[in-house]
Amino acid sequence: MKKLVVGNWKMHGSRASNAELIQGLLAADLAATAPRAEVAVCPPFVYLADVASALQGSAIALGSQDVSTQTQGAYTGEVSGVMLREIGARYAIVGHSERRSYHAESDQLVADKAKAALAHGLIPIVCVGETLAERESDQTETVVGRQLQAVIDTLGAEVLKVVVAYEPVWAIGTGKTASPEQAQAVHAFLRGVLKAAHADASSVPLLYGGSVKPDNAATLFAQADIDGGLIGGAALKAADFAAIARAA
Ligand code: PEP
């Protein structure tokens, strides 16, 4: 399977710093990695249109960090999949742990967002992951299994069109990366859950996210069920993000 490397810029950046970052990414000539790895970036909503035009004609795809369950209407502050498609987005991250925890997003809401994304032609990147307390009490499989099952139950066979990102909450922005073996074990479990629902689910890309850096990317991406990465902090530095894309 072709690898996928996605940069989540979170609430970082400005017009000036985005322009510099994109210039760095374009200069890194990621087109050379295109046959083996697709690359995408997910800037804050307000910069999506700017970034879309800066990336036009390049090998780098665009994604959003969230999407509404709704299409149009009186939903103050929301952005719909139709709007995101119109400005050129290909992906929409849903259920990032920061949204699950700071915005109380439930498993069902995340699944509904994935459904809305698909309905509008976006590929949802569904994030799942356990907290440190959950890992330490042996709840990892219960938690990520429950988060993924909500998506499977809501999407039916359409789940074969999503991307799943395993992001242990304790590894996000902390500098603590899951070891390749720890990450692979959870990915294999997620693959099993998907396959139990749909025998042909081996085609669903499973990304790992959580303190991926240029120096640990290659070993993570070499694991059997790790099909790429969702990158936070390191996606804000063109040289680091390009090195991670090359590692894929
Ligand atoms: C993320 O938030 O999606 C993430 C993986 O962040 P970081 O790479 O900074 O841990």
Side-chain angles (χ1 to χ4, degrees):
M1 181 188 312
K2 193 168 168 174
K3 299 274 196 228
L4 173 62
V5 177
V6 180
N8 172 13
W9 293 3
K10 309 196 184 191
M11 199 175 72
H12 290 290
S14 64
R15 279 191 150 156
S17 69
N18 295 345
E20 199 179 316
L21 177 52
I22 291 164
Q23 209 172 21
L25 293 177
L26 296 178
D29 191 20
L30 294 174
T33 67
R36 280 160 288 117
E38 182 178 349
V39 174
V41 294
C42 302
F45 281 124
V46 286
Y47 298 125
L48 280 167
D50 272 2
V51 175
S53 37
L55 292 179
Q56 211 154 29
S58 79
I60 304 172
L62 189 68
S64 64
Q65 297 174 18
D66 189 22
V67 63
S68 175
T69 57
Q70 304 298 322
T71 303
Q72 190 76 227
Y75 301 100
T76 304
E78 296 283 287
V79 178
S80 81
V82 182
M83 297 167 181
L84 294 167
R85 277 301 295 158
E86 189 180 24
I87 57 96
R90 175 169 165 76
Y91 295 98
I93 297 173
V94 297
H96 190 280
S97 64
E98 286 150 17
R99 294 213 59 88
R100 289 181 190 263
S101 78
Y102 304 147
H103 301 275
E105 293 198 2
S106 65
D107 296 340
Q108 188 56 54
L109 179 67
V110 172
D112 290 341
K113 287 183 170 191
K115 187 172 182 164
L118 282 171
H120 299 305
L122 294 163
I123 300 169
I125 300 173
V126 180
C127 301
V128 300
E130 82 289 2
T131 63
L132 186 58
E134 288 163 343
R135 172 162 284 264
E136 286 176 343
S137 57
D138 275 334
Q139 294 294 302
T140 300
E141 292 188 356
T142 310
V143 171
V144 299
R146 188 198 70 221
Q147 292 170 335
L148 182 57
Q149 196 61 48
V151 179
I152 292 170
D153 293 343
T154 301
L155 298 187
E158 294 269 286
V159 78
L160 298 175
K161 298 181 183 165
V162 312
V163 172
V164 175
Y166 168 55
E167 298 209 307
V169 179
W170 49 271
I172 296 180
T174 58
K176 284 185 201 158
T177 319
S179 68
E181 295 74 23
Q182 281 174 320
Q184 167 57 28
V186 179
H187 280 232
F189 170 75
L190 293 170
R191 183 79 73 204
V193 172
L194 285 163
K195 278 187 163 175
H198 300 281
D200 42 354
S202 46
S203 60
V204 174
L206 300 180
L207 312 185
Y208 169 76
S211 298
V212 178
K213 307 282 179 236
D215 61 358
N216 61 21
T219 27
L220 285 161
F221 297 161
Q223 303 302 307
D225 291 294
I226 300 187
D227 306 312
L230 181 53
I231 320 299
L236 299 171
K237 293 183 199 133
D240 285 2
F241 189 63
I244 293 168
R246 279 191 208 101

